[in-house]
Amino acid sequence: MKKALVALCCAAASLPALAAEYLLTVTRPNNLHVVDPAKREIVRTITLPGDGIPGAIVVPKDGKIAYVLTNRMESVVGVEIDTGKPVFRADFSTPQRRVKGFFAVAVSEDGKELYVHQAPVQLGRAEYKVEDTYIAVFDTADGMHAKPRRTFPAPRRISLMAATGNPDHIIALGWDMYLFNTKTGKLEKTFPIRHWNRPGIGEPDVLAMWGTFEQARALSTPYFVAKTDAAPDSAEAFKAGIAVFDLDSETLKVKEFENATTAMFSSVINPAARNEAFLVMNQLTKVDVDTGQLLKRKDLEQTFYAINISGDGKELYIGGALDKIAIYDAASFDKKGEITMPGGADQSIGWMRVVKR
């Protein structure tokens, strides 16, 4: 009996510890917050170096370092999540050249490379000269004064990027979706969205600014589109839909699910039921992306911009816009709690990411 007990204890000791999930969000003027959603509390606030306002947050698979777009979208700062120590910084602009990164930042799964879509302008004495856009590739090992190791051309209006299951690929969302080879810089495939040429369906309107794809490995965004074969004054004339790009299979799905009656800013796919999507702005909405069925909707107490979800698909986290993260039951839409940002600080248009530590 004693031997069996010792063996059982040894086996239990050798089991890996369950990974805890944490939320990352940002607030003005330039803070990154590490939030424990289970305890409903902020466990660490990290003051980012330089000026704000912070926005996009990207984290490699190991969940150790958060890279945040900040400094008026002209820098990316990397900090250790556990200690708050700055370990990386890339400043884009110079006195002669202003370079912005409009939300589109991604990091490789292994954390070795950082990708930033950049829009440069030459600052002359009497005029500004707009230059072509591109994706800059940084080596994260270059530390606090990182410069691009290489660049490759990319279309304008890119607002989201993510690493796919292929270690050489990133997907970039703009007017269409573009699959790039990060080693060669080649645009390998275009997935039409604006240029989809669907009978009876016009060009979609997409506001894709919030990246929340880590749980289900699916990059999604709401869209709104005119029905060109419907009477302009009919209820069917304008539809709401959702686009979902599977990061592992590198496939795109689009589905309309209702007449356009309300605005929705961001969405997340349920990792426990991948046919379910949750969308947010003034309402919390649940849809079936396979059938196009609207499953559930609830009015919210305020506007929220960003949404994310727990790894088991049971809790929804909604934030952005103001000073709190609200937590809702994913099945019932009952509110389960909220977490207020220190000093009532505004999350503005910042992202909200989930990491496992």
Side-chain angles (χ1 to χ4, degrees), residues 23-231:
L23 286 170
L24 301 180
T25 189
V26 289
T27 59
R28 296 169 181 257
N30 205 16
N31 294 317
L32 172 71
H33 304 284
V34 183
V35 180
D36 187 332
K39 295 181 179 179
R40 313 295 200 236
E41 66 181 20
I42 295 173
V43 297
R44 185 172 300 105
T45 293
I46 301 169
T47 299
L48 301 171
D51 296 331
I53 302 167
I57 309 167
V58 295
V59 187
K61 191 173 183 179
D62 64 13
K64 293 182 178 180
I65 297 174
Y67 298 92
V68 183
L69 180 66
T70 185
N71 189 29
R72 305 178 188 90
M73 300 182 179
E74 295 180 30
S75 302
V76 169
V77 173
V79 294
E80 292 180 350
I81 293 173
D82 291 342
T83 67
K85 177 184 176 183
V87 294
F88 177 87
R89 179 160 182 160
D91 295 316
F92 312 153
S93 297
T94 67
Q96 296 78 34
R97 192 167 179 261
R98 182 179 299 147
V99 182
K100 299 282 187 179
F102 292 101
F103 310 109
V105 181
V107 65
S108 61
E109 289 282 282
D110 61 12
K112 292 182 179 180
E113 289 191 335
L114 183 77
Y115 313 104
V116 183
H117 183 268
Q118 297 188 333
V121 176
Q122 285 283 351
L123 306 177
R125 296 183 64 182
E127 64 179 3
Y128 290 173
K129 181 181 178 182
V130 176
E131 298 181 343
D132 292 336
T133 52
Y134 54 84
I135 292 173
V137 183
F138 297 87
D139 188 324
T140 58
D142 286 346
M144 297 300 294
H145 302 282
K147 301 297 180 185
R149 290 294 188 99
R150 61 188 185 278
T151 64
F152 52 87
R156 293 190 177 277
R157 294 169 292 272
I158 301 296
S159 59
L160 283 179
M161 295 195 303
T164 77
N166 183 326
D168 292 344
H169 284 173
I170 57 170
I171 190 70
L173 172 60
W175 271 353
D176 297 305
M177 279 192 174
Y178 310 99
L179 188 69
F180 288 99
N181 186 307
T182 59
K183 299 297 186 290
T184 65
K186 180 183 177 182
L187 173 56
E188 293 194 351
K189 188 173 183 179
T190 298
F191 298 86
I193 297 180
R194 186 188 182 191
H195 302 99
W196 55 22
N197 293 322
R198 296 169 59 196
I201 302 289
E203 294 181 359
D205 183 2
V206 180
L207 178 66
M209 293 167 45
W210 295 273
T212 52
F213 44 77
E214 61 273 14
Q215 296 286 47
R217 299 277 302 150
L219 187 155
S220 64
T221 182
Y223 64 83
F224 299 88
V225 66
K227 285 274 289 177
T228 57
D229 57 0

Side-chain angles (χ1 to χ4, degrees), residues 216-296:
R217 299 277 302 150
L219 187 155
S220 64
T221 182
Y223 64 83
F224 299 88
V225 66
K227 285 274 289 177
T228 57
D229 57 0
D233 57 350
S234 75
E236 297 285 331
F238 213 61
K239 308 291 284 189
I242 186 168
V244 182
F245 186 86
D246 188 303
L247 293 174
D248 292 320
S249 65
E250 297 185 342
T251 55
L252 174 65
K253 176 193 301 181
V254 294
K255 193 72 174 180
E256 290 81 44
F257 58 84
E258 68 171 342
N259 296 336
T261 58
T262 185
M264 291 164 283
F265 270 7
S266 65
S267 59
V268 68
I269 303 301
N270 188 346
R274 291 174 59 88
N275 65 303
E276 294 179 356
F278 299 90
L279 307 94
V280 77
M281 187 182 169
N282 295 322
Q283 293 87 21
L284 183 59
T285 301
K286 178 180 179 180
V287 302
D288 188 315
V289 299
D290 291 338
T291 66
Q293 182 182 3
L294 176 66
L295 301 174
K296 200 173 188 66

